[in-house]
Amino acid sequence: MTKKQRTLEMIQRLKEIYPLAECTLDYDHAWQLLVGVRLAAQCTDARVNVVLEDLFAKYPTVADLAQAEPEEIEAIVKPCGLGRSKARDISACMKILHEKYQDNVPSDFDEVLALPGVGRKSANLIMGDVFGKPAIVTDTHCIRLVNRMGLVDKIKDPYKVEMALWKLVPPEEGSDFCHRLVIHGRAVCDARKPNCEECPVADLCKKIL
């Protein structure tokens, strides 16, 4: 079985086990997801969701956040860690959305990528979850699992992992596959103690522990 064949079979099995593939960050609008994914750097989604509730209660629109001082934003997002830099990026990003995009998030990948504090992972998340476009979101779970499974060969760089997966994963499956890897990584394929006996793709996995 080739690497691509294994990948396609994994996609199908994980789809059956985890039919609901979605981002675990809470949001109602694209700009809120943009804020959430910035806060999620080196922080759990669960904690981010609690902070987002407070942040959006005080600043319910792009315009409100754009007008807020970075220090005011920092006071709320501090529990997520790296509060100063995250608040600065959020403030700058919202100002651009307000002034250039009429409070909307652009649907072009490169335009999203150019926003302050937005990397390829975040831009891909927006493309896949908000606009339904092909996307590969290489977060820590994705990188860890595809290396363990042998879909990529000892590649840790997110960009290189993304490029490798584009060759294996059908474009329409990329976003959901990455979400399912996150779910599977938390539920079964733990970083320290993977539950291989209960894993639905164990026979396809290289088990590079």
Side-chain angles (χ1 to χ4, degrees), residues 188 194-200 202 207:
V188 178
N195 188 0
C196 297
E197 292 182 0
E198 300 295 327
C199 180
K207 297 182 181 62

Side-chain angles (χ1 to χ4, degrees), residues 3-19:
K3 188 179 289 186
K4 184 154 191 173
Q5 288 172 327
R6 286 198 299 118
T7 302
L8 293 175
E9 182 61 25
M10 284 182 179
I11 289 172
Q12 187 57 40
R13 290 192 198 177
L14 292 178
K15 188 183 295 187
E16 293 170 1
I17 299 297
Y18 311 112

Side-chain angles (χ1 to χ4, degrees), residues 3 143 146-147 150-155 161 164-165 168 208:
K3 188 179 289 186
I143 294 171
V146 296
N147 272 279
L151 301 185
V152 302
D153 302 311
K154 298 180 181 179
I155 305 175
V161 171
L165 289 178
L168 301 173
I208 304 171

Side-chain angles (χ1 to χ4, degrees), residues 76-159:
I76 298 175
V77 305
K78 192 174 181 179
C80 294
L82 305 174
R84 182 169 298 178
S85 62
K86 290 180 180 180
R88 184 176 62 243
D89 287 341
I90 290 169
S91 175
C93 183
M94 294 302 110
K95 281 181 168 63
I96 292 174
L97 292 188
H98 182 59
E99 296 168 4
K100 185 176 180 180
Y101 296 107
Q102 295 75 51
D103 294 358
N104 296 306
V105 176
S107 60
D108 179 79
F109 179 87
D110 290 327
E111 288 186 85
V112 174
L113 188 61
L115 294 170
V118 177
R120 291 190 66 87
K121 181 185 78 171
S122 302
N124 270 301
L125 184 65
I126 295 292
M127 291 299 108
D129 280 44
V130 174
F131 298 110
K133 294 185 176 184
I136 296 287
V137 184
T138 51
D139 75 342
T140 52
H141 285 288
C142 173
I143 294 171
R144 177 172 63 80
L145 264 66
V146 296
N147 272 279
R148 174 174 282 175
M149 293 169 167
L151 301 185
V152 302
D153 302 311
K154 298 180 181 179
I155 305 175
K156 302 298 184 182
D157 178 80
Y159 176 77

Side-chain angles (χ1 to χ4, degrees), residues 24-40:
T24 51
L25 291 169
D26 293 337
Y27 70 97
D28 293 317
H29 307 284
W31 68 269
Q32 294 176 331
L33 179 57
L34 204 55
V35 172
V37 74
R38 179 65 187 97
L39 293 180

